Amino acid sequence: MWRVGVDVGGTFTDLFAWEESTGRQVTSKVLTTKQDRSIAVLEAIQKAGIDIADISYLMHGTTTATNALIERSYPDAAFITTEGFRDTLEIGRQHREHLYDPYQSKPKPIIKRRYRYTVPERTNVRGETERPLDIAAAHDVARKIKAARIKSVGIGFINSYVCGEHEKQMRDILLEHCPDVHVVLSAETRPVFREHGRFMTTAVRAACMPVMVKYMDDLEARLRQHKFVGKLLILKSSGGVMSADVARLHPEDMLESGPAGGVAYAGYLTEQSGFERILHTDVGGTSFDVSIVENGKGLITRDHELEWEVPIVVPMLDIHSVGAGGGSIGWVDSGGSLRVGPQSAGSEPGPVCYGRGGTQPTITDANLLLGRLDPTLSGKMVLDFAAAEKAMSNLAKQIGLSTLATAEGMIRIGCEYMAQAVKKILVSRGRDPRDFVFASFGGAGALHACFVAKSMNIPKVIVPPHAGVASAFGATVMDLRQDLEHFYYTPVQDADLRKINGILAELEAKAKKALKEQGFENEHDIELVRTAQMRYVGQSYEVETPIPNGVLTQECMPRIEQQFHACHLKEFGVSSEDFAPAFVSFGVAAIGRMEDPPPVEISHMAGGDIIKGMRDVYFEGKWTSCQVYKGEALGTQHRIEGPAIVEYEHACTVLPPNTHAHVNAMGALVIDIEK
């Protein structure tokens, strides 16, 4: 039986799989079918030569929910809230994205104002009812939603994170009138304070649920037609997997589903190569993703923003994305400056050189013209050099540069966008780039990795085996995961340990039960990870702090406080024992350990030629003759001096001048960059 990982990206759908009895590994890459992404999933499986009936686990990373939100391409949803809070979703936190821009505008609302309804009710911060739910008004709202033929509704009342009874009442009334509607409660989505994040996350779940239900239904139906009897697991943004049934009802947990696989592969690299601090980067066709992985674990955030003022308050891997990928389009702004992205050619029509109808030059076209790409993409397709050159020439005329200078300028600008994304995530988490290894994933990642790393003073780049399908590989090393959280604010010195232990015990029991319901049977293989959201009394932001398992006693409190000080120092460069720490909420992650994959297969062609040939490559305004190496043929005995090109089945590495590389024991290409 096969264990298969699939990552559906904006341009390509990637697959990595291993056979459980023999350890044999296969990969494939196909163009994403935008009209129905499930088609590309089946095409990738077919291209890999795998019989769907022989798949035991299909781990699937998908951008379907993210794309639906970004494009606002979902059926109209409704939102019901407390009287006086109708516009909380749109008003947000009254922040400004650009402080001095008087013409900026907020993103398009997740839920249209005409479908945002209010009812009189009020619960205070202690969970006490100050005003009962107005039953007549609730029925009136339910009738309006039925008349509007809305199929998905979010309910978010003020202070319902303490007591959600009014939300449950509203749900019961709504279902009397609309029995087929999807109903989402904020008290069940994320019972935490700060209503804007809680309401927005609830609205996102309500908006995406019909989209994900249809996608999962279509995918499972297609798989069943091919006699699929295994388990379909979906990648979560927090770094685990969940069953398809759970994914249908929790689309907010899939907003970083695809990149999460890459983070898992970076964690696998830590185990195999010993690099404790890895900067995970992934360049696909539409975007550049970057995140920090320390000691094999990706950093978690609860302050992720899908867009400006669209916060998602569930635990998510702290992944920052920008529109800089292989399909990013070059264009000239109103000031006559060359720009790159964020708009992308995607898979339809794709870069000009793909010959699928694209007319605007992309990063991929620029790399082809500069000699950095194989004109056949390692045998996958014949790239149209003349068409790419014509499109780049048209762009070059607009800015008064030569075609090659424009192509190289596009690469520099794209790499600078990537470097700024790296800088943002490192600085925001208080990390020094010189302490990290730059791990390059994605089909277009290694083309640019050395340039981005050098820009950020990162001394070493690693291109692992199967880097071109890294997120699909990472999917196969992920564990089943359930994250739960409960709000409880108290200064540590005033903490009611009996209540805290009760909260943790309840969360652990629910998390274990959730894993069992998803088919994980061996309770002894479940790992429970406890955390607390903590802050200094008076602060307005929290720091995630690990707390010990077992019954918490008064003797544990000093150690937890010291742990919080250490976490605060690591994140912000400062801590103080003069201020009292406080608990804000408690979280539990239940992790069901899955079987690890076999070691990565390394095909050394003993005695064979590692050189594919020579190719002229354009660096720094001039052509340089470079050797082109067969990436899969390289062994630990080989050393490569830049400039050079290393080509793999699904990726291509560019070694610019003043770099040198070797292959480590796991088959990864490790590149040292001279200062």
Side-chain angles (χ1 to χ4, degrees):
M1 299 294 283
W2 288 89
R3 188 163 302 202
V4 179
V6 176
D7 173 48
V8 180
T11 303
F12 286 101
T13 293
D14 302 336
L15 177 145
F16 175 86
W18 50 279
E19 214 282 322
E20 293 173 334
S21 60
T22 66
R24 185 165 71 92
Q25 299 164 3
V26 296
T27 63
S28 68
K29 185 184 284 278
V30 300
L31 287 168
T32 295
T33 48
K34 188 175 181 180
Q35 72 278 10
D36 185 348
R37 291 174 171 84
S38 64
I39 296 174
V41 174
L42 297 183
E43 289 179 351
I45 295 171
Q46 182 179 16
K47 186 175 181 180
I50 297 173
D51 188 337
I52 292 178
D54 292 335
I55 296 176
S56 59
Y57 288 95
L58 176 57
M59 278 91 155
H60 179 28
T62 174
T63 58
T64 302
T66 309
N67 292 336
L69 286 169
I70 292 174
E71 299 167 3
R72 301 296 192 267
S73 56
Y74 46 79
D76 284 327
F79 191 78
I80 306 171
T81 189
T82 306
E83 190 175 59
F85 292 86
R86 180 183 184 185
D87 295 315
T88 296
L89 288 175
E90 204 161 344
I91 294 172
R93 296 166 291 191
Q94 302 188 57
H95 293 173
R96 296 173 65 85
E97 183 176 11
H98 307 291
L99 187 59
Y100 299 111
D101 181 3
Y103 302 107
Q104 63 189 298
S105 58
K106 287 179 175 284
K108 186 178 179 181
I110 296 293
I111 294 179
K112 298 173 182 176
R113 193 173 193 271
R114 61 179 173 272
Y115 297 133
R116 301 200 298 261
Y117 305 94
T118 65
V119 292
E121 70 84 36
R122 189 74 179 205
T123 299
N124 64 25
V125 294
R126 294 178 294 277
E128 302 163 348
T129 299
E130 292 190 352
R131 184 177 185 178
L133 177 69
D134 188 320
I135 302 300
H139 279 282
D140 184 52
V141 166
R143 284 190 288 268
K144 291 178 179 177
I145 289 174
K146 182 178 181 179
R149 298 183 178 180
I150 298 292
K151 295 300 182 183
S152 184
V153 181
I155 302 174
F157 292 154
I158 196 70
N159 297 326
S160 63
Y161 64 92
V162 186
C163 178
E165 289 305 313
H166 286 179
E167 289 188 356
K168 293 176 183 178
Q169 280 184 271
M170 185 68 241
R171 175 174 59 188
D172 293 341
I173 291 170
L174 185 60
L175 290 175
E176 287 180 26
H177 295 266
C178 315
D180 297 327
V181 75
H182 298 291
V183 184
V184 178
L185 307 186
S186 76
E188 295 175 353
T189 300
R190 211 68 195 168
V192 294
F193 75 151
R194 299 190 181 112
E195 65 275 4
H196 181 236
R198 178 164 50 89
F199 287 4
M200 189 64 75
T201 306
T202 304
V204 163
R205 180 190 281 192
C208 288
M209 193 175 290
V211 175
M212 294 314 300
V213 168
K214 183 180 185 306
Y215 178 77
M216 292 298 167
D217 288 348
D218 290 348
L219 178 59
E220 288 192 314
R222 290 182 186 277
L223 291 171
R224 283 195 298 272
Q225 288 174 5
H226 292 79
K227 298 181 173 53
F228 175 72
V229 293
K231 291 184 179 179
L232 175 61
L233 300 176
I234 309 300
L235 273 63
K236 297 182 64 171
S237 303
S238 60
V241 291
M242 57 185 165
S243 69
D245 289 337
V246 172
R248 282 181 172 85
L249 305 179
H250 295 267
E252 76 282 2
D253 282 334
M254 290 183 284
L255 297 182
E256 292 290 354
S257 174
V263 177
Y265 192 8
Y268 178 82
L269 276 182
T270 296
E271 298 177 9
Q272 299 297 315
S273 295
F275 296 119
E276 294 184 356
R277 295 184 180 90
I278 290 178
L279 192 70
H280 147 257
T281 66
D282 193 330
V283 186
T286 58
S287 65
F288 171 77
D289 305 316
V290 56
S291 64
I292 296 171
V293 177
E294 292 179 329
N295 300 314
K297 305 292 183 183
L299 300 190
I300 297 292
T301 180
R302 285 173 170 79
D303 194 28
H304 177 84
E305 284 193 326
L306 178 72
E307 299 173 26
W308 179 252
E309 286 286 69
V310 184
I312 311 297
V313 293
V314 298
M316 300 177 69
L317 291 165
D318 193 2
I319 300 172
H320 182 55
S321 302
V322 295
S328 294
I329 294 170
W331 54 285
V332 178
D333 65 18
S334 57
S337 297
L338 179 62
R339 305 285 295 275
V340 177
Q343 55 269 54
S344 172
S347 61
E348 299 175 4
V352 177
C353 62
Y354 283 11
R356 296 165 60 88
T359 58
Q360 297 174 286
T362 67
I363 290 287
T364 297
D365 297 306
N367 277 308
L368 175 64
L369 296 179
L370 297 174
R372 301 176 186 181
L373 269 184
D374 177 1
T376 68
L377 276 188
S378 298
K380 294 182 183 65
M381 64 174 72
V382 177
L383 302 181
D384 191 335
F385 186 95
E389 187 175 40
K390 180 180 179 180
M392 191 67 69
S393 177
N394 291 336
L395 179 66
K397 291 175 183 177
Q398 298 180 51
I399 55 177
L401 293 176
S402 69
T403 301
L404 289 175
T406 302
E408 190 169 39
M410 281 185 60
I411 299 297
R412 287 180 176 177
I413 292 170
C415 288
E416 185 57 32
Y417 286 154
M418 297 176 198
Q420 290 303 311
V422 169
K423 180 179 180 180
K424 181 175 181 178
I425 199 163
L426 287 172
V427 170
S428 68
R429 303 301 295 251
R431 269 47 170 197
D432 187 333
R434 294 169 295 184
D435 295 334
F436 286 82
V437 172
F438 190 104
S440 177
F441 298 159
L447 285 165
H448 312 99
C450 291
F451 302 102
V452 179
K454 185 173 183 179
S455 176
M456 290 301 301
N457 289 321
I458 299 174
K460 198 179 295 291
V461 172
I462 181 170
V463 183
H466 307 303
V469 293
S471 291
F473 183 107
T476 67
V477 304
M478 299 177 83
D479 299 312
L480 207 65
R481 182 179 177 120
Q482 180 69 40
D483 297 274
L484 296 174
E485 190 171 4
H486 190 284
F487 177 84
Y488 174 58
Y489 176 81
T490 177
V492 174
Q493 61 185 11
D494 299 330
D496 183 340
L497 290 179
R498 182 176 179 182
K499 184 168 186 176
I500 291 174
N501 282 314
I503 289 171
L504 291 170
E506 182 180 1
L507 290 175
E508 290 175 351
K510 287 182 177 179
K512 285 183 177 180
K513 181 181 178 183
L515 291 191
K516 291 179 181 177
E517 289 174 348
Q518 295 177 67
F520 196 87
E521 300 176 354
N522 193 349
E523 185 173 337
H524 298 293
D525 288 335
I526 295 178
E527 178 187 357
L528 296 172
V529 179
R530 293 177 171 183
T531 57
Q533 294 294 300
M534 297 181 67
R535 67 185 186 188
Y536 292 111
V537 173
Q539 275 185 323
S540 59
Y541 57 87
E542 293 78 48
V543 175
E544 183 167 274
T545 306
I547 57 176
N549 290 328
V551 177
L552 298 183
T553 64
Q554 201 61 47
E555 287 71 29
C556 299
M557 294 300 105
R559 295 202 304 274
I560 293 175
E561 288 189 7
Q562 290 303 315
Q563 186 69 54
F564 163 68
H565 292 311
C567 291
H568 198 283
L569 178 64
K570 188 173 185 178
E571 292 293 317
F572 301 107
V574 64
S575 65
S576 175
E577 298 191 14
D578 295 332
F579 295 92
F583 294 117
V584 174
S585 67
F586 293 91
V588 167
I591 302 170
R593 295 299 180 191
M594 307 278 284
E595 183 181 353
D596 290 332
V600 175
E601 290 181 349
I602 308 170
S603 56
H604 300 310
M605 298 171 63
D609 192 359
I610 63 171
I611 306 295
K612 291 182 71 172
M614 301 292 294
R615 191 159 72 227
D616 288 340
V617 183
Y618 199 79
F619 290 112
E620 300 293 337
K622 62 180 181 180
W623 289 101
T624 303
S625 182
C626 297
Q627 287 186 322
V628 181
Y629 292 85
K630 303 173 183 176
E632 282 82 7
L634 295 174
T636 55
Q637 73 275 22
H638 296 119
R639 299 289 185 272
I640 302 174
E641 297 294 329
I645 303 292
V646 182
E647 292 182 346
Y648 298 89
E649 182 182 4
H650 300 303
C652 175
T653 302
V654 173
L655 273 67
N658 302 316
T659 61
H660 46 94
H662 68 277
V663 176
N664 70 4
M666 74 165 291
L669 187 69
V670 181
I671 307 166
D672 292 302
I673 300 174
E674 296 178 10
K675 294 184 178 180

